[in-house]
Amino acid sequence: MNTAASNHTMSSASASGTNAQAPGLKTYFKTPEGKYKLQYEKTPPAALLHYAHGKTVTQVTLGDLKDKPMQPPSQSSSNLGVTGGVRSAAARLLGGGNGSRTLSFVGGNGGSKSMNGTSARLGSFGGSGSNNVAGNANFDAKGTYLVFNVGDAIFVSDLNSQDKDPIKTIHFSNSNPVCHAYDPDAKDGHDLLIGLHSGDVYSVSLRQQLQDAGKKLVGAQHYNKDGSVNNSRCTCIAWIPSGEGSFIVAHADGNMYVYEKNKDGSGDASFPVVKDQTQFSVSHARYSKNPVARWHICLGSINGIAFSTDGSYIATVGRDGYLRVFDYKNEQLVCGGKSYYGALLCCAWSMDGKYILAGGEDDLVQVWSMEDRKIVAWGEGHNSWVSGVSFDSYWLAPNSDGVGQNIVYRFGSVGQDTQLLLWDLEIEELVVPVRRPPGGSPTFSTGSQSSHWDSACPAGTLQPAPSMRDVPKLSPLVAHRVHTEPLSGLIFTQESILTVSREGHIKIWTRPGFAESQTSNSDSLTSLSLKEKSSTSGKVVTSSYKQ
């Protein structure tokens, strides 16, 4: 890909050139609201890949670095409406202001630039001198960055740069990084968490890593050193919303640990032995050291965790095939249910906390209702394991006045079948198949679906998998093969959709209208920002993360 360009849109020749070895892949896909176009791609440098590359699966975290701490904000930053809540499950980018505001963005060389109006956006690229970033102690590192793991390294890439190669590489000598999470509101600068295959966990400053010229972590706080508390693989990691520096680490042996940044990280392995591996239990540390608590969730690996936006609930999915939802503060199991078949691999919350997505080895996307405490729909469309799910909190239904009773949600999923699927969930339109005659087509109910569903799940119990005939089915709005390799995740941003393969190949697909012109960008951003402010539509509920 041509990295020297500094234009607002990538030429079609340049875009198609990125897929020269994959002629079957298109550089766009169509939806009712328009075309999503491949803007650019990010990959790790091939020469830096370790021999253990294939042992880990790439995950992507978005880190939105604001102004330097303790510095008076500049005009551009003080007028910028920055959304807080960048998370691995529901990442959020720079919020668009109105046309009179000044929006800052970072070019590929780390230099801060500004443009009047909302036309300064993802398509506005700076220079390609990414090598000047590392080692510059005065580099303010302002902007939005991609953090992703491949093999034995963590890579950091400037999201606003057209460069394929990352601007920072961090190598780990004795274990592979497997998961990470970013907190934009970290008070002490330690905003990035990294979990390793060995069970070790680090908290570091993303800005400090960018300012350092070396390829090792700098200024890191080390937890569970050498697996002193738990030597099984870290599977996922998450900051606790409004947790004042607390975070959770899940492991492959079915345990989750709660840590607090301001406490000793040396470890306290004095938790009691888990007597029944199949039962949920919580134990607290006897001394004021990390970890402060252990949650035993299940027998087998915890494959995914996700907090609700306000931090009240945490959902987990595991090797045993169960989605579990816990009241985090009260440390109680609220509800949960089993997959149709096999393990569950991923989960995500809607921004209003009403629905949870889960996907896994049954090739289905499960839609779980917190109100009904049951599966209310199954999405059928993948041809292999579902490896990533996410609600699109930036999407607004066309021709919506925001006050209707029939709420529509847009969500996406990716799988090992290399496909990105987009779905529209309209609860009032769901119908339950009542019978499937042998050799015939299914017959659907046209009446009230509630009469066909079981009663709500009692609090604190796990439901078995429902019968396939009792759950409404969803068909995808869009099914598009976006990579040649199996996919491991997706992220929705205000301007684009990010898809990532297991091997570390990231593609950025711009939303309809964002790559057309400065005028259309401004109009689209204004439209999206209005959606953020609407608390009654239900299609997007403004994040309760701290601003």
Side-chain angles (χ1 to χ4, degrees):
M1 184 185 295
N2 178 15
T3 59
S6 183
N7 53 4
H8 288 278
T9 59
M10 193 172 72
S11 68
S12 58
S14 166
S16 55
T18 62
N19 290 319
Q21 297 180 353
L25 298 182
K26 294 183 178 180
T27 58
Y28 66 90
F29 57 89
K30 295 180 180 179
T31 66
E33 57 267 23
K35 280 185 180 181
Y36 284 75
K37 299 180 180 179
L38 178 61
Q39 187 77 354
Y40 47 92
E41 306 175 32
K42 303 285 186 180
T43 57
L48 296 179
L49 293 184
H50 193 268
Y51 68 89
H53 172 39
K55 294 185 178 180
T56 59
V57 174
T58 298
Q59 294 186 16
V60 174
T61 294
L62 284 187
D64 181 16
L65 288 176
K66 305 173 185 178
D67 289 336
K68 280 186 175 180
M70 305 304 292
Q71 282 189 345
S74 64
Q75 180 183 359
S76 61
S77 61
S78 62
N79 287 336
L80 176 62
V82 179
T83 57
V86 176
R87 294 292 187 269
S88 299
R92 304 177 68 82
L93 280 167
L94 296 175
N98 58 38
S100 64
R101 294 183 177 181
T102 303
L103 182 65
S104 289
F105 67 96
V106 174
N109 61 0
S112 179
K113 301 181 180 181
S114 63
M115 293 179 66
N116 288 326
T118 52
S119 60
R121 48 161 301 278
L122 252 178
S124 306
F125 302 112
S128 61
S130 58
N131 292 334
N132 296 329
V133 175
N136 182 3
N138 296 319
F139 176 60
D140 65 4
K142 193 195 304 180
T144 305
Y145 296 86
L146 291 169
V147 179
F148 60 104
N149 61 289
V150 182
D152 66 346
I154 287 280
F155 298 98
V156 183
S157 210
D158 185 349
L159 181 60
N160 297 328
S161 167
Q162 203 172 348
D163 282 349
K164 265 190 158 184
D165 291 342
I167 59 176
K168 175 69 176 181
T169 302
I170 304 170
H171 280 286
F172 294 80
S173 57
N174 51 1
S175 185
N176 287 0
V178 293
C179 52
H180 28 85
Y182 177 78
D183 179 11
D185 300 314
K187 294 181 178 179
D188 63 354
H190 275 222
D191 47 19
L192 180 64
L193 299 171
I194 302 172
L196 305 187
H197 195 279
S198 61
D200 294 62
V201 177
Y202 294 94
S203 70
V204 298
S205 162
L206 176 56
R207 178 179 280 107
Q208 188 175 1
Q209 309 314 305
L210 288 169
Q211 292 172 342
D212 184 78
K215 293 187 176 182
K216 300 294 182 182
L217 283 181
V218 292
Q221 178 71 29
H222 198 170
Y223 308 90
N224 191 31
K225 187 175 183 180
D226 300 324
S228 59
V229 176
N230 189 314
N231 61 6
S232 68
R233 171 175 50 92
C234 292
T235 55
C236 33
I237 196 165
W239 292 101
I240 300 170
S242 303
E244 300 298 332
S246 300
F247 59 92
I248 272 191
V249 183
H251 289 263
D253 64 352
N255 287 302
M256 291 195 317
Y257 293 87
V258 182
Y259 292 84
E260 295 179 4
K261 280 196 302 183
N262 59 357
K263 292 189 176 180
D264 186 357
S266 60
D268 174 19
S270 60
F271 294 107
V273 175
V274 177
K275 296 180 180 179
D276 187 348
Q277 294 284 335
T278 64
Q279 295 298 312
F280 165 65
S281 63
V282 179
S283 301
H284 293 269
R286 289 182 289 180
Y287 307 104
S288 184
K289 290 185 177 182
N290 275 313
V292 298
R294 180 196 65 196
W295 292 44
H296 179 75
I297 303 298
C298 58
L299 177 65
S301 174
I302 301 170
N303 293 329
I305 60 176
F307 275 100
S308 60
T309 304
D310 60 3
S312 298
Y313 298 98
I314 183 172
T316 70
V317 291
R319 183 68 190 90
D320 62 358
Y322 278 98
L323 164 70
R324 294 172 171 86
V325 183
F326 300 93
D327 180 326
Y328 179 72
K329 181 178 179 181
N330 296 315
E331 299 177 340
Q332 294 177 346
L333 175 65
V334 176
C335 56
K338 200 174 189 306
S339 65
Y340 186 72
Y341 171 82
L344 287 176
L345 305 174
C346 52
C347 59
W349 287 85
S350 63
M351 292 301 291
D352 57 11
K354 292 183 178 180
Y355 297 96
I356 306 169
L357 302 174
E361 296 177 359
D362 56 10
D363 304 352
L364 300 170
V365 179
Q366 179 184 127
V367 183
W368 180 274
S369 167
M370 281 296 290
E371 181 180 359
D372 296 320
R373 292 181 180 173
K374 70 178 80 174
I375 296 173
V376 294
W378 264 326
E380 296 181 321
H382 280 287
N383 301 315
S384 188
W385 295 0
V386 178
S387 49
V389 290
S390 180
F391 279 95
D392 185 353
S393 61
Y394 296 95
W395 179 83
L396 185 64
N399 304 320
S400 171
D401 57 8
V403 296
Q405 296 299 315
N406 194 14
I407 298 173
V408 183
Y409 299 82
R410 169 69 58 85
F411 65 89
S413 60
V414 295
Q416 296 194 16
D417 56 3
T418 73
Q419 289 194 106
L420 164 68
L421 271 57
L422 297 180
W423 315 73
D424 281 353
L425 173 65
E426 194 169 1
I427 297 299
E428 296 300 322
E429 296 298 318
L430 292 176
V431 292
V432 184
V434 292
R435 66 180 184 275
R436 185 182 291 272
S441 60
T443 303
F444 294 94
S445 162
T446 57
S448 170
Q449 66 268 47
S450 60
S451 62
H452 299 278
W453 293 356
D454 297 330
S455 59
C457 174
T461 62
L462 298 176
Q463 290 192 67
S467 169
M468 188 64 79
R469 69 170 61 186
D470 295 331
V471 179
K473 307 303 186 300
L474 288 177
S475 295
L477 181 74
V478 171
H480 182 66
R481 184 169 176 257
V482 291
H483 289 250
T484 57
E485 313 97 10
L487 299 177
S488 58
L490 79 162
I491 294 175
F492 289 100
T493 74
Q494 189 169 1
E495 295 90 355
S496 58
I497 301 176
L498 279 64
T499 57
V500 55
S501 75
R502 294 172 58 94
E503 306 299 316
H505 187 189
I506 303 167
K507 293 186 177 182
I508 293 89
W509 306 84
T510 53
R511 293 181 185 270
F514 272 99
E516 302 303 327
S517 66
Q518 293 188 21
T519 302
S520 64
N521 290 340
S522 180
D523 293 341
S524 300
L525 274 169
T526 302
S527 173
L528 287 169
S529 64
L530 288 175
K531 173 193 61 176
E532 291 280 356
K533 299 173 184 177
S534 173
S535 60
T536 58
S537 69
K539 299 168 183 63
V540 172
V541 175
T542 303
S543 170
S544 63
Y545 292 129
K546 293 178 288 185
Q547 298 295 314

